[in-house]
Structure formats: C-alpha cells, structure tokens
Amino acid sequence: MADWFYAREVIRGVWVLAEPQHVYTWMVAGEDRAVLLDTGMGILPIRPLAESLTELPLSVVNTHYHFDHIGGNHEFDEIAIHELGAPLIAQEVPRDVLDAYVGYAHRQLDVMAAYRGLDAEFFWLLSAESEPRPFPKGFNSSDWTIRPTEATQTLVDGDRIDLGGRVLTVIHAPGHSPDGICLLEEREGLLFGADTINAGPIYAQFPDSDVEVLAASTRRLSELNDAVRLIMVHHYGRVIADAAFLPEIAEGVGQVRAGGTTLTPGHDILGGPVLEARFEHFSVVLPDPDAPQQALTAEA
C-alpha cells in the first residue's frame, strides 16, 4: 500500500489518505465511529489502510458518484450518498472513461522527472502527498474496473452524521454533479469541499454539470466563511486551504456564470474538449458547445 497511498493525520482524528495527484480521501473519527469520505480510485484496496489508522467501526460517505471517489465502495458494508447519487453508483463506469484516465496518468508520470528536478532546485512544492507515483506493481489497466455498489443510506441537505463528540453536517452543493455534497465539521471548523472546492480546475463540463447551479452552491458555501477555519480539498497538489478561498471561488464562478471571463479552449483529463476560465488559485471548466461531451457513467 505504501507504494500507492500516502496517509497522515492532519488534525487529531482527521486523516488524509492520498492517492497523490489522483484523489485525496479523508477519514474522520469521533469517539464512537469513523467515516471515510469517499473510497478513492479502486487501484488498490483502501479499507486495510483505513483500518490501520483507526480501530473504530468504519463506514463510507460518498461526496458524489464519480468513479475516482467510489472505487473502493465494494469493500464496505455501509455506504451513504446523496439521494440523487444512489442510483448512479449502481451503474457501470464506461471502459473508455477508465482508459482515458489511465492515459492521462501516464502522461503525468512522463513529465515528472523533469518537473521533479526543477522543483527540487527552485520551488519546493512537491510533497509525499502531492507527487504522483507509478501504478502499483502488477497493475493491469485493462483489468481495472469500478464495481457498482448499492447505497445503504441516502442523504439530503442538512442531515447530521454523528460520530460521537464530532458531527458532520451535509451540505448539498450541486453543480459539478447533481448529487455533490460538502460536509461541515463545526467543532473544528472543517469543511470537506469534495469537487465543489478545488485548488485547481473545478469541473462543470459534464452532461449533468451546471455552472449556474455551481455558482449558487459556491455562493452558499462562501456564506459559511465565519464557521470555517480550514477547507479539506480532494484533488490536485494542495490538500488544505484557508476559509478565504470560499469567497474567492464564489466570486470567480459567479463571473463565469455571468459571462464576464475569458474562456480558453483546452482539454480535460479525459481528453475531452473544454473551455477554461483561469483565476489565480483555481479555474472553472465548461463544455465546449461545439464538441460532444463524455459521460462518467453509462447513462450520465
């Protein structure tokens, strides 16, 4: 596992389980039980790693249905997700989506030698949780699948997940996906931002994405600013952001929604053509209206 995952306790009872540069899964423990916020890529089993960090009973809360957040769901008996996501995790993930992602990961690794050298000499930005790793020995990409799973609990906005002395409040934050949620731990002021809050591209280009809805979600999250001390990020090289990032993202997404930004043609990590609005610490990715879009499930 150490060749693929990197784990550390960021705050007492809160761990990041990184698949570096792919996805950052978070585990939160209370006095009575712990939850895993997503289950990663499914490249290697994630449950043994999680259980090495806590002896508490462990269940899963999916922040949304996308393949890179549900890959280890099948390892667990208890899976909660927003009610809109429950039928989606029960679907197959198309083979071409996984193949396209593997191609992206290989391209990333191909440039790492040059980037690592530059970073070591000049920048010091890479860390154990941000530097991508080769696929595990014996990994065969053609055998990699995301197994469909059944939710054992569905969530809605305002639900409270009591871990014993620590509560996570569900915030429905659609836009990236219709079922997207964030989770607020009020005791420590921690917001788990899922794919609504990213220190990198925020994807709103999928068939079921909606930038207008995303703008409303980010605006709502920005109103939590006084209750939030730290934001736990789920993608790219920066795993923690401060609360000031919330109004920054809300303002940027609002500008995109209003048509007040420059959109640059490009491609997303699956190779799909997109338009991107870049800001200082993040970007917003929209569909290219002149190109076909890629689905993340068989029916998305």
Side-chain angles (χ1 to χ4, degrees), residues 68-115:
D68 50 334
H69 295 258
I70 65 168
N73 273 15
H74 64 276
E75 302 172 49
F76 297 88
D77 298 325
E78 297 179 38
I79 302 167
I81 191 170
H82 188 270
E83 59 184 0
L84 295 178
L88 299 173
I89 63 171
Q91 296 180 14
E92 298 281 351
V93 176
R95 178 79 258 157
D96 60 343
V97 170
L98 300 180
D99 290 343
Y101 187 85
V102 169
Y104 160 78
H106 282 303
R107 292 194 303 275
Q108 187 181 64
L109 288 171
D110 287 344
V111 302
M112 268 309 300
Y115 182 76

Side-chain angles (χ1 to χ4, degrees), residues 56 69 127 188 198 207 213 218 224 258 287 297:
L56 292 170
H69 295 258
S127 66
E188 301 279 356
N198 262 334
V213 173
T218 56
L224 300 173
T297 70

